[in-house]
């Protein structure tokens, strides 16, 4: 069983809810730092390693700054994400621009700052050359291995052949060839073919495919790839019965392929990169919400003050998030005041629901939980990646803010909640009056 930790006691959580109001996100800085150190240490078996944190998972510059202190760069997919990285003090080749359907102005912005352009298609060579007036010295391409990637069909990304991303095998040879002829000096290779994958063999296979391709590129074109980005996609155990990916195991498996393919091909040293989001912050972020209604119709419902606007994974993918109730620990729950978990005195089967006019707005469906009383604080776990970031304003729901638990126990607000003024900021009401 995988333990579901929450870093505050019931009293501390109640104080925090009193001070900042509910709902809110809470991130655990100490846990984020410890985890990224473990991750980096596992991959230190390569001569050169870099994690480019996928900004889309948790686009908060305070978090990016913490990760930068731990040696991470960022992986960006849009102009605002490039700007966020810059604001967090991350610059130059520490920023990877893995975008698709990218406007010229965004390529220009990234190029002007020396960020790495990771192109998604062969036609983008010409597009970038026209947009910038030249090609950068360093270019990366995103590879789509199509049916070469066998390891099961990934639930979120699907089959590579059906995914819109990247260049085919044929195109990728052509693309490096064209770039070499046009005077590009440095080359990188990237693929992202899985999402929330827990099977370590899948990453070994991705590495093997990219390593073999790099060896072929050297042999056939004389193109020396200098860094290989394995993408993101390392999963986390959302369910208590799932097991976390062992970073050391993944690193050793990839090292095995490195020794078998890259070393004999004369491609050692090769820089190995990840652009993970989910495993870096996912387990260390929580959505805290309050039970404000209970209704009994054909099922028993608990209505909370957060909604799918704050966390849409359950509604969008039917994703499972563990739910705990403050002060009423279940077997797998761990908090500073109940370090061994507990057994609820009374349980009920609930749908825990938000306020959106969409029936998929449910944080938990037919879930056995401790008996919930009105005013109880409810913790939705593993919300630290693709959580608030995916939120939206449908139904004119204002998204909640973000709090950071510092290693010294202090809790600071790193993003305030949205207000009705934010929602109206794009509308000209004076114009309306004269309309
Ligand atoms: C979403 C994404 C990531 C991060 O994925 P995680 O599952 O959060 O690790 C990395 N790279 C690209 C190109 C992505 O689209």
């Amino acid at each position: 069983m995988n333990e579901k930790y929450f870093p505050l006691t019931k009293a501390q959580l109640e104080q925090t809810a009193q001070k900042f109001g509910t709902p809110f996100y809470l991130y655990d800085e100490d846990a984020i730092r410890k985890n990224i150190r473990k991750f980096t240490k596992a991959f230190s078996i390569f001569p050169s390693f870099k994690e480019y944190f996928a900004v889309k998972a948790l686009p908060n510059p305070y978090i990016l700054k913490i990760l930068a202190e731990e040696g991470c760069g960022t992986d960006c997919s849009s102009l605002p994400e490039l700007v966020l990285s810059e604001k967090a003090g991350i610059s130059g080749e520490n920023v990877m621009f893995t975008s698709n359907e990218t406007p010229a102005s965004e390529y220009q912005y990234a190029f002007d700052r020396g960020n790495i352009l990771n192109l998604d298609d062969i036609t983008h060579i010409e597009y970038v050359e026209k947009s910038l007036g030249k090609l950068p010295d360093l270019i990366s391409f995103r590879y789509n291995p199509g049916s070469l990637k066998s390891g099961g069909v990934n639930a979120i990304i699907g089959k590579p052949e059906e995914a819109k991303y990247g260049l085919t095998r044929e195109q990728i040879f052509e693309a490096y060839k064209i770039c070499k002829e046009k005077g590009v000096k440095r080359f990188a290779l990237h693929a992202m073919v899985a999402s929330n994958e827990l099977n370590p063999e899948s990453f070994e296979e991705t590495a093997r495919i990219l390593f073999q391709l790099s060896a072929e590129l050297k042999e056939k074109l004389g193109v020396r790839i200098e860094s290989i980005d394995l993408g993101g996609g390392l999963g986390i155990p959302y369910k208590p019965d799932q097991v976390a990916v062992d970073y050391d195991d993944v690193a050793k498996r990839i090292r095995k392929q490195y020794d078998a393919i890259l070393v004999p091909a004369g491609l050692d040293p090769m820089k190995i990169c990840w652009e993970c989001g989910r495993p870096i912050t996912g387990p260390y972020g929580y959505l805290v919400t309050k039970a404000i209604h209970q209704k009994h119709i054909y099922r028993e419902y608990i209505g909370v003050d957060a909604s799918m606007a704050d966390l849409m994974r359950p509604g969008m993918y039917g994703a499972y998030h563990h739910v705990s109730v403050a002060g009423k620990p279940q077997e797998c729950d761990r908090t500073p005041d109940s370090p061994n978990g507990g057994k609820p005195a009374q349980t009920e089967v609930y749908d825990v629901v938000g306020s959106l006019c969409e029936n998929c707005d449910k944080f938990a469906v037919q879930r056995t939980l401790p008996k919930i009383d009105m005013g109880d604080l409810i913790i939705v776990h593993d919300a630290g990646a693709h959580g608030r970031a995916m939120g939206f304003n449908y139904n004119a729901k204002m998204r909640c803010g973000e709090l950071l638990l510092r290693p010294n126990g202090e809790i600071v607000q790193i993003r305030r909640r949205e207000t009705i003024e934010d929602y109206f900021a794009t509308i000209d009401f004076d114009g309306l009056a004269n309309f």
Side-chain angles (χ1 to χ4, degrees):
M1 190 187 63
N2 137 38
E3 293 173 359
K4 290 294 177 190
Y5 183 71
F6 182 71
L8 299 182
T9 64
K10 180 171 186 253
Q12 287 168 331
L13 180 59
E14 279 173 349
Q15 261 177 14
T16 308
Q18 197 79 42
K19 182 168 173 193
F20 295 98
T22 54
F24 56 82
Y25 272 85
L26 178 77
Y27 306 111
D28 181 346
E29 177 179 337
D30 193 43
I32 290 174
R33 286 188 188 270
K34 284 191 173 125
N35 175 61
I36 187 63
R37 283 175 199 168
K38 204 167 117 190
F39 187 75
T40 308
K41 184 158 178 282
F43 289 93
S44 67
I45 59 172
F46 293 97
S48 173
F49 168 74
K50 183 105 188 159
E51 152 70 4
Y52 298 89
F53 177 70
V55 175
K56 78 166 190 270
L58 179 41
N60 188 302
Y62 289 79
I63 301 289
L64 300 185
K65 204 164 178 179
I66 290 168
L67 291 172
E69 282 173 14
E70 299 294 342
C72 297
T74 52
D75 166 46
C76 302
S77 57
S78 64
L79 176 68
E81 290 186 356
L82 293 171
V83 175
L84 273 179
S85 304
E86 218 178 345
K87 298 252 186 218
I90 304 164
S91 61
E93 290 185 8
N94 288 326
V95 177
M96 179 87 169
F97 192 32
T98 301
S99 55
N100 57 90
E101 319 322 326
T102 313
S105 57
E106 300 197 3
Y107 278 131
Q108 185 72 56
Y109 189 92
F111 175 74
D112 289 344
R113 280 150 189 83
N115 304 150
I116 302 172
L117 302 191
N118 186 18
L119 306 189
D120 187 61
D121 190 47
I122 192 161
T123 61
H124 297 171
I125 302 170
E126 198 186 329
Y127 186 85
V128 165
E129 192 177 25
K130 273 203 183 130
S131 311
L132 309 179
K134 61 177 164 185
L135 286 173
D137 287 343
L138 166 63
I139 280 202
S140 177
F141 285 105
R142 179 170 184 163
Y143 177 46
N144 181 332
S147 56
L148 277 185
K149 172 89 185 164
S150 61
V153 176
N154 187 270
I156 296 181
I157 289 202
K159 289 186 190 172
E161 313 85 295
E162 291 172 10
K164 68 174 178 174
Y165 312 105
L167 289 76
T168 67
R169 194 180 145 79
E170 254 187 344
Q171 289 170 340
I172 209 142
F173 281 92
E174 187 62 20
Y176 285 107
K177 186 163 164 269
I178 294 170
C179 286
K180 194 183 171 201
E181 284 164 8
K182 286 182 179 287
V184 174
K185 295 185 187 72
R186 299 166 55 207
F187 303 93
L189 174 64
H190 165 274
M192 158 106 187
V193 285
S195 184
N196 196 28
E197 180 63 62
L198 291 169
N199 180 1
E201 284 170 24
S202 168
F203 305 107
E204 184 176 347
E205 195 198 7
T206 303
R208 182 179 55 76
I209 291 171
L210 291 176
F211 293 174
Q212 275 170 353
L213 181 61
S214 308
E216 280 183 66
L217 286 164
K218 178 170 181 250
E219 195 187 302
K220 297 194 176 139
L221 303 177
V223 162
R224 206 295 187 187
I225 300 291
E226 66 172 46
S227 69
I228 295 178
D229 184 335
L230 300 162
L234 268 181
I236 59 172
Y238 285 99
K239 293 182 180 160
D241 61 0
Q242 290 175 319
V243 181
V245 175
D246 177 345
Y247 299 154
D248 287 313
D249 177 41
V250 172
K252 281 182 193 141
R253 284 168 179 274
I254 296 171
R255 179 73 216 201
K256 199 173 80 192
Q257 298 296 332
Y258 185 104
D259 290 334
I261 302 167
L262 292 181
V263 174
L267 288 171
D268 176 45
M270 175 71 80
K271 183 173 174 182
I272 301 297
C273 312
W274 281 104
E275 47 182 45
C276 288
R278 195 183 314 269
I280 309 301
T281 54
Y284 317 108
Y286 309 85
L287 172 61
V288 176
T289 178
K290 190 185 276 181
I292 55 171
H293 291 286
Q294 174 159 18
K295 77 184 266 184
H296 177 76
I297 45 173
Y298 306 103
R299 287 182 180 182
E300 198 68 32
Y301 291 93
I302 295 293
V304 297
D305 60 4
S307 77
M308 191 182 166
D310 300 298
L311 176 66
M312 74 186 288
R313 295 190 74 257
M316 180 157 157
Y317 305 120
Y320 181 99
H321 281 262
H322 179 69
V323 166
S324 59
V325 186
K328 299 177 181 176
Q330 302 158 83
E331 207 187 343
C332 65
D333 291 328
R334 299 286 182 274
T335 56
D337 51 347
S338 66
N340 302 312
K343 198 162 169 42
Q346 226 183 325
T347 60
E348 291 257 7
V349 176
Y350 294 114
D351 279 15
V352 178
V353 302
S355 56
L356 221 71
C357 303
E358 285 287 350
N359 197 42
C360 61
D361 187 10
K362 297 184 174 187
F363 293 110
V365 177
Q366 293 295 283
R367 186 91 55 92
T368 301
L369 290 171
K371 186 177 177 312
I372 294 170
D373 295 300
M374 290 306 90
D376 276 356
L377 292 170
I378 297 194
I379 300 151
V380 183
H381 291 249
D382 301 303
H386 312 295
R388 190 189 180 289
M390 241 190 228
F392 59 112
N393 288 129
Y394 185 51
N395 250 204
K397 296 294 174 187
M398 298 303 105
R399 283 168 294 187
C400 66
E402 297 179 300
L403 307 177
L404 180 68
L405 172 62
R406 309 287 331 251
N408 67 4
E410 190 191 350
I411 293 177
V412 294
Q413 180 168 280
I414 56 173
R415 185 195 301 271
R416 67 159 169 81
R417 68 182 58 254
E418 290 175 338
T419 64
I420 194 167
E421 287 76 23
D422 295 324
Y423 186 69
F424 291 153
T426 50
I427 298 173
D428 174 4
F429 283 103
D430 293 336
L432 179 68
N434 302 316
F435 180 68

